[in-house]
Amino acid sequence: GMQYLEAIRRMKKEGIKLKRTIHVVLGPDEEIGGIEGMKMFVDQKPFKDLNVGFGLDEGLASPTSTFRLFYGERACWWFTVTFKGKPGHGSAFIEDTAVSKIHKVMTRALQFREQEENKLKSNPSFTLGDVTTLNINLLKGGVQFNVVPD
């Protein structure tokens, strides 16, 4: 958001007149998908009364003075997966555990992540907006040491 405020400051300083009014909305919920902030706002009459022509989000960081524009929006796809397996004592070799099942899924996910990262690295014209990023953010399991969780 700071780059927009700086751009507006410079336009004002240089006396640039625009055909439309600029409205700046800063929302705190970008990391959770905008559901409790921007989505609620755009569904309200005050937003509709602004007659917005287009919107810009925070975009991607740029080490230069160039700011890339995209005609689409990256979207979050959050999901929870639960794996069930055979429980037991940690001193035994137990087959078909929840951890062995999640290992298979995580391996495939990380292979996909590596493919997308390689696409980005191999094409100098690509930015993060041209590939799919994938990160595993949270793992939970077990109830205590030396017990294989179900």
Side-chain angles (χ1 to χ4, degrees), residues 77-137:
W77 185 37
W78 295 321
F79 55 92
T80 301
V81 181
T82 303
F83 293 89
K84 295 285 186 181
K86 294 179 183 173
H89 193 272
S91 65
F93 288 111
I94 301 166
E95 300 293 324
D96 197 34
T97 65
V99 172
S100 65
K101 292 176 182 179
I102 195 170
H103 177 266
K104 291 176 188 174
V105 172
M106 288 181 67
T107 298
R108 288 184 185 150
L110 293 173
Q111 286 170 343
F112 174 79
R113 182 185 196 273
E114 185 176 5
Q115 289 171 356
E116 292 297 299
E117 190 173 15
N118 287 338
K119 279 187 207 175
L120 179 64
K121 290 177 180 177
S122 67
N123 189 332
S125 68
F126 276 13
T127 67
L128 281 175
D130 297 308
V131 297
T132 300
T133 55
L134 183 145
N135 289 288
I136 299 167
N137 300 124

Side-chain angles (χ1 to χ4, degrees), residues 1-148:
M2 293 307 297
Q3 72 267 24
Y4 297 127
L5 296 177
E6 178 61 16
I8 292 167
R9 186 191 69 76
R10 288 183 186 188
M11 287 189 299
K12 286 184 76 162
K13 182 179 177 183
E14 294 172 16
I16 295 173
K17 301 286 185 196
L18 302 174
K19 292 181 181 180
R20 293 185 68 138
T21 303
I22 293 176
H23 300 277
V24 178
V25 177
L26 302 174
D29 66 341
E30 178 260 336
E31 293 297 333
I32 59 170
I35 303 300
E36 297 176 8
M38 200 60 186
K39 181 178 181 336
M40 291 174 74
F41 180 51
V42 299
D43 289 338
Q44 302 297 316
K45 185 177 180 331
F47 177 82
K48 292 176 177 144
D49 290 345
L50 293 175
N51 189 27
V52 173
F54 66 92
L56 298 171
D57 71 1
E58 74 282 357
L60 297 172
S62 175
T64 69
S65 62
T66 302
F67 183 78
R68 295 187 72 157
L69 294 178
F70 297 91
Y71 59 86
E73 175 65 76
R74 293 173 64 90
C76 296
W77 185 37
W78 295 321
F79 55 92
T80 301
V81 181
T82 303
F83 293 89
K84 295 285 186 181
K86 294 179 183 173
H89 193 272
S91 65
F93 288 111
I94 301 166
E95 300 293 324
D96 197 34
T97 65
V99 172
S100 65
K101 292 176 182 179
I102 195 170
H103 177 266
K104 291 176 188 174
V105 172
M106 288 181 67
T107 298
R108 288 184 185 150
L110 293 173
Q111 286 170 343
F112 174 79
R113 182 185 196 273
E114 185 176 5
Q115 289 171 356
E116 292 297 299
E117 190 173 15
N118 287 338
K119 279 187 207 175
L120 179 64
K121 290 177 180 177
S122 67
N123 189 332
S125 68
F126 276 13
T127 67
L128 281 175
D130 297 308
V131 297
T132 300
T133 55
L134 183 145
N135 289 288
I136 299 167
N137 300 124
L138 183 64
L139 291 174
K140 296 180 184 179
V143 293
Q144 68 182 46
F145 293 110
N146 212 27
V147 175
V148 177

